[in-house]
Amino acid sequence: MAKAKEQPKKPAGQKPSIPQLPPGMRPVRMWSFRFDMKKLLIWLLVIFLFVPAIFSWIGSSTSGMTETLTQAMEDIRAGKVKSVDVSGDNLILDYGNNNLKFSTKETGQSFTQLLTQYKIDPSSVTFTVQNGSFMDKLGNVLNILSFLLMAFFFVMIFRQMRQGQNGGGMFGMGRSKAKLFAKGKQDVRFADVAGVDEAKQELEEVVDFLKHPAKYHKVGARTPKGVLLVGPAGVGKTLMARAVAGEAGVPFFSMAGSEFMEMLVGVGASRVRDLFDTAKKAAPAIIFIDEIDAIGRTRGAGAMGGHDERDQTLNQILVEMDGFAPNDSVIVLAATNRPDVLDQALVRPGRFDRRVTLDMPDIEGRKKTLAIHAKGKPFAKNINWEDVAKRTVGFTGADLENMLNEAAILIAREGRDEITFDDIEEAATKVKMGPSKKRIQSENDRRMTAYHEAGHAIATHFLSHTDPVHRISIISRGRALGFTMIPPAVDKYQSTRVELLEEICTLLGGRAAEKLIYNDLTAGASSDIDRLTRLARAMVIDYGMSPLGPIDFGPQEGMSEWGRTYLEQTDVSDSKRAEIDREVKRIVNACEKTTMDILTKKRKVMDRVVAALMEKESLEREEFEKIVGVSKADVIKKNEFVVEYS
Ligand code: ADP
Ligand code: ZN
Ligand code: MG
């Protein structure tokens, strides 16, 4: 488990699978009994359009037997018509022998007048008159009905437009959809967020300001306006923002960056305006914009060449923040995991000028996070949480929470009532690798996967600056057909050149094994290749570990806290790019040579590992080392294989 340096082997062209719930668990569906305005309006519209259409269809279905008025009059004069039924303006002409024909007369003219006009003696015709047919009456009712519907429709539209800030719906576009957590309703506290003590300290100040704004105003202190919470996904940024509101006991308006965006240009900006207005009225208050990078990206830098809607929304945020009066007592918190792409204007003084960083939790942080989320779950007494924390290097708070939850689901499914260490281990694998799947694979495919994974494991085992293999498996999980887990044994903040080179060897191991055994390659190594190429590139560009030395990459604006994106750099000359590419290739070649060397010399060991994998599907560290026959410590002492790159 842990900072999984696992090497997933992807099946070629397989689509990402939809996460599956364990059997017996059904997704919760929320039936809303709310009065859904949009749907109602649509239904009314349908009725409004279709009912008249249906009636006019009924009316016209008799059209096959209609006659012009002139023809009808001629027939009457000629005595062909036995009798006439006058019903409103409709004439039903009876020709005898059940032969009926229809015609219509002008409105406002009586049938007698009509006969006189055609110079026919009314007494020569038998006719009955009914005033207003069923159809006519229906038509009148329908007219009134559609008028009522129209009126109702308009009333609804106006009501929608006037509706309050949680309006939404078809006509509430410009309203912010902010979720409001009223004063005191936010029940998260700092104590619920573990392992980010520096961040807490910095935010204490914000809390104090919100609690006692007068204290600061009295001495004329400029108070913070915007605080940016920065950190990788899942470390608890959103949780932290809620905790600040909870500690301060002020209303908390929360909205995600993407929620400002709608199809219509200008909607985002008006939502911002609405959000800030509402918050100011409720001051002291907190506005929280989650995932602000969705709107806060450098303006006019979209891949599609500018993005009007986003620019307008961002501008509106800047305008609102500049427009704060000194005693508004509204603090804007925002969270992002991509501070590097944010527009410079956002981080200027007076805007998001404070930055609070939340890091990946270290072992102490993980222990505290585990303690928080273990509450209320039935764990076996003998679980060593220190050990769990140690083995979960690279897990974020969200991963840990997820892991414990998975472990609980596991025992619930099997009807047990205690969570054991093994359950946690299984849950950790599931969190990092996805749920295990039974795929029907041919013996040959399984063997190929086994060689691929064994290749990773053997390569890493026989190098001296790598971590021990934790587990190898050819049980497919998520998109991976198999995996090898090599978690860092300790929290590490530095990697040396040798370590990086050997990591590349490890990543190459799967592909090298395929090449050696089958003299062929599968598409499964694509993510390995992706990662090792990025590593090699970082060695050359970011860490200056190649003979090219430190490379000047021009202005530092494209820097992120988690590495630089090579493609974002545009001011590098072509010849320098070519040099970099050549160096990357040399690194990979050197590593490949060493990897091939290891696998060729340890071929017998690899075959044994594969045989065991074919039989057991998964090997734990102890089993693996027993099969290999040499302990990691001995390998390190012997230092048999070295990557030759200089
Ligand atoms: P982020 O916003 O940084 O992506 P979240 O705040 O949404 O992360 O975290 C998701 C969940 O993970 C939280 O609701 C919480 O249960 C858990 N979690 C994350 N970080 C921590 C932490 N530092 N302490 C306790 N729980 C955490
Ligand atoms: Zn692999
Ligand atoms: Mg979040």
Side-chain angles (χ1 to χ4, degrees):
M1 60 198 202
K3 172 70 193 171
K5 234 193 273 168
E6 66 272 11
Q7 281 80 30
K9 184 175 180 241
K10 271 186 253 157
Q14 174 118 2
K15 288 213 188 81
S17 56
I18 300 158
Q20 296 229 302
L21 283 172
M25 287 201 64
R26 253 174 289 133
V28 184
R29 174 163 290 174
M30 309 269 266
W31 290 107
S32 144
F33 290 104
R34 248 174 356 125
F35 188 52
D36 191 333
M37 201 54 70
K38 222 184 207 164
K39 262 194 205 140
L40 184 80
L41 287 177
I42 289 170
W43 273 113
L44 286 182
L45 214 67
V46 168
I47 293 168
F48 191 59
L49 288 176
F50 276 90
V51 171
I54 287 168
F55 278 103
S56 73
W57 173 75
I58 292 172
S60 68
S61 64
T62 51
S63 67
M65 301 174 284
T66 53
E67 245 186 359
T68 62
L69 191 58
T70 331
Q71 184 61 50
M73 287 302 151
E74 282 309 317
D75 288 350
I76 291 171
R77 197 202 312 278
K80 286 187 199 161
V81 180
K82 295 253 154 53
S83 69
V84 182
D85 256 334
V86 185
S87 157
D89 288 335
N90 297 316
L91 309 178
I92 303 168
L93 310 156
D94 186 358
Y95 285 79
N97 302 331
N98 281 335
N99 186 7
L100 293 178
K101 286 196 175 166
F102 299 88
S103 190
T104 36
K105 67 175 180 64
E106 244 176 283
T107 316
Q109 196 183 26
S110 77
F111 186 61
T112 332
Q113 280 169 343
L114 190 69
L115 290 173
T116 343
Q117 192 193 323
Y118 278 87
K119 306 213 167 55
I120 301 171
D121 179 8
S123 61
S124 69
V125 196
T126 345
F127 66 90
T128 50
V129 179
Q130 291 168 10
N131 266 331
S133 70
F134 167 72
M135 282 295 190
D136 288 344
K137 280 182 196 139
L138 201 73
N140 289 340
V141 172
L142 225 69
N143 272 339
I144 295 168
L145 212 69
S146 33
F147 175 76
L148 284 179
L149 275 178
M150 282 266 272
F152 185 64
F153 199 67
F154 277 109
V155 169
M156 279 300 154
I157 289 176
F158 286 121
R159 275 196 38 188
Q160 281 274 309
M161 286 164 102
R162 277 191 294 114
Q163 233 170 44
Q165 54 116 16
N166 282 323
M170 217 190 321
F171 304 100
M173 287 261 208
R175 298 284 161 179
S176 82
K177 287 199 268 185
K179 287 185 253 1
L180 167 67
F181 297 94
K183 193 169 177 160
K185 282 280 166 58
Q186 196 53 256
D187 50 4
V188 181
R189 293 287 182 277
F190 277 158
D192 298 317
V193 195
V196 279
D197 296 334
E198 293 92 3
K200 270 188 220 170
Q201 258 166 32
E202 286 187 64
L203 291 167
E204 285 285 359
E205 199 179 320
V206 174
V207 171
D208 194 51
F209 165 71
L210 286 166
K211 267 185 173 163
H212 318 285
K215 188 167 93 185
Y216 292 84
H217 293 147
K218 209 167 63 191
V219 296
R222 189 169 70 84
T223 48
K225 274 187 191 172
V227 181
L228 197 60
L229 302 172
V230 172
V235 294
K237 299 181 294 296
T238 308
L239 191 68
M240 191 61 147
R242 288 172 54 202
V244 171
E247 290 284 335
V250 299
F252 179 72
F253 299 88
S254 153
M255 201 157 159
S258 55
E259 286 177 291
F260 288 102
M261 302 308 202
E262 284 284 348
M263 287 160 295
L264 299 176
V265 173
V267 170
S270 89
R271 279 195 182 152
V272 170
R273 218 173 300 129
D274 191 65
L275 176 61
F276 277 75
D277 283 349
T278 318
K280 272 189 224 168
K281 274 182 212 134
I286 289 178
I287 293 175
F288 177 52
I289 305 176
D290 208 352
E291 331 243 308
I292 196 174
D293 42 290
I295 29 174
R297 278 172 191 265
T298 306
R299 276 167 293 184
M304 314 289 275
H307 192 305
D308 272 348
E309 167 64 351
R310 205 168 56 202
D311 291 0
Q312 279 193 22
T313 310
L314 177 56
N315 281 338
Q316 192 62 39
I317 291 180
L318 299 179
V319 167
E320 293 289 346
M321 289 186 80
D322 288 344
F324 274 161
N327 52 1
D328 266 346
S329 305
V330 174
I331 289 185
V332 189
L333 298 180
T336 180
N337 52 8
R338 294 293 314 272
D340 52 316
V341 301
L342 289 187
D343 197 289
Q344 285 302 302
L346 259 181
V347 292
R348 227 174 269 149
R351 289 161 185 173
F352 292 100
D353 47 3
R354 295 207 180 187
R355 181 181 283 217
V356 173
T357 308
L358 284 82
D359 285 317
M360 295 288 285
D362 57 11
I363 183 162
E364 276 309 308
R366 290 197 298 274
K367 224 162 88 187
K368 285 182 197 152
T369 312
L370 286 167
I372 289 174
H373 293 292
K375 260 181 231 146
K377 295 193 181 78
F379 287 100
K381 291 280 170 298
N382 63 355
I383 285 179
N384 181 349
W385 290 105
E386 179 90 33
D387 202 23
V388 177
K390 211 187 274 171
R391 283 160 173 255
T392 42
V393 181
F395 276 53
T396 62
D399 290 335
L400 292 172
E401 196 261 345
N402 202 354
M403 175 183 86
L404 295 185
N405 188 47
E406 286 295 345
I409 289 178
L410 204 72
I411 65 152
R413 204 167 72 195
E414 293 175 9
R416 287 183 282 133
D417 43 30
E418 224 178 37
I419 303 173
T420 64
F421 188 82
D422 284 346
D423 295 326
I424 297 177
E425 182 102 340
E426 171 61 27
T429 314
K430 188 167 168 189
V431 166
K432 280 291 175 188
M433 303 295 306
S436 62
K437 256 186 266 175
K438 287 270 171 279
R439 281 207 189 91
I440 299 173
Q441 289 182 55
S442 71
E443 202 66 349
N444 208 35
D445 281 357
R446 284 180 69 228
R447 191 176 300 277
M448 216 154 172
T449 307
Y451 268 110
H452 181 102
E453 298 308 333
H456 285 306
I458 299 288
T460 205
H461 185 75
F462 285 100
L463 288 165
S464 11
H465 301 84
T466 49
D467 294 301
V469 172
H470 182 74
R471 177 190 274 181
I472 322 176
S473 169
I474 55 167
I475 299 174
S476 50
R477 276 178 188 278
R479 296 183 57 190
L481 287 176
F483 62 89
T484 306
M485 278 190 170
I486 311 154
V490 284
D491 281 272
K492 248 190 350 200
Y493 302 99
Q494 281 290 11
S495 291
T496 65
R497 188 165 172 272
V498 185
E499 282 166 358
L500 289 171
L501 286 172
E502 295 193 352
E503 193 171 341
I504 294 175
C505 292
T506 303
L507 285 164
L508 280 166
R511 198 184 113 98
E514 289 175 14
K515 215 163 146 182
L516 189 72
I517 307 297
Y518 295 95
N519 195 22
D520 194 4
L521 296 172
T522 67
S526 72
S527 77
D528 296 341
I529 294 172
D530 189 56
R531 282 172 59 190
L532 72 91
T533 313
R534 256 186 294 156
L535 257 184
R537 211 172 259 293
M539 283 180 71
V540 179
I541 300 166
D542 294 337
Y543 315 141
M545 288 173 178
S546 75
L548 297 180
I551 296 177
D552 174 26
F553 252 74
Q556 300 284 296
E557 268 157 32
M559 282 285 281
S560 83
E561 276 169 42
W562 294 286
R564 185 156 38 186
T565 318
Y566 178 61
L567 283 174
E568 279 169 15
Q569 302 295 328
T570 49
D571 47 0
V572 180
S573 72
D574 284 350
S575 66
K576 187 149 267 171
R577 270 175 204 277
E579 260 179 89
I580 292 166
D581 287 344
R582 209 174 309 128
E583 220 40 60
V584 169
K585 194 156 180 226
R586 272 192 29 177
I587 292 178
V588 176
N589 283 348
C591 291
E592 189 163 23
K593 191 158 162 281
T594 310
T595 311
M596 275 309 223
D597 194 25
I598 299 172
L599 297 188
T600 317
K601 288 202 179 120
K602 305 292 172 190
R603 168 76 198 260
K604 287 231 170 61
V605 182
M606 184 158 67
D607 289 342
R608 284 205 300 270
V609 172
V610 167
L613 274 177
M614 292 297 286
E615 190 194 331
K616 292 185 169 172
E617 297 204 318
S618 287
L619 297 176
E620 300 298 317
R621 175 177 177 174
E622 298 75 33
E623 295 169 282
F624 172 74
E625 292 199 349
K626 214 171 123 202
I627 295 166
V628 173
V630 195
S631 76
K632 187 77 195 170
D634 287 342
V635 170
I636 293 173
K637 233 180 279 159
K638 206 169 166 199
N639 200 15
E640 191 179 351
F641 298 96
V642 179
V643 182
E644 276 157 33
Y645 169 73
S646 55

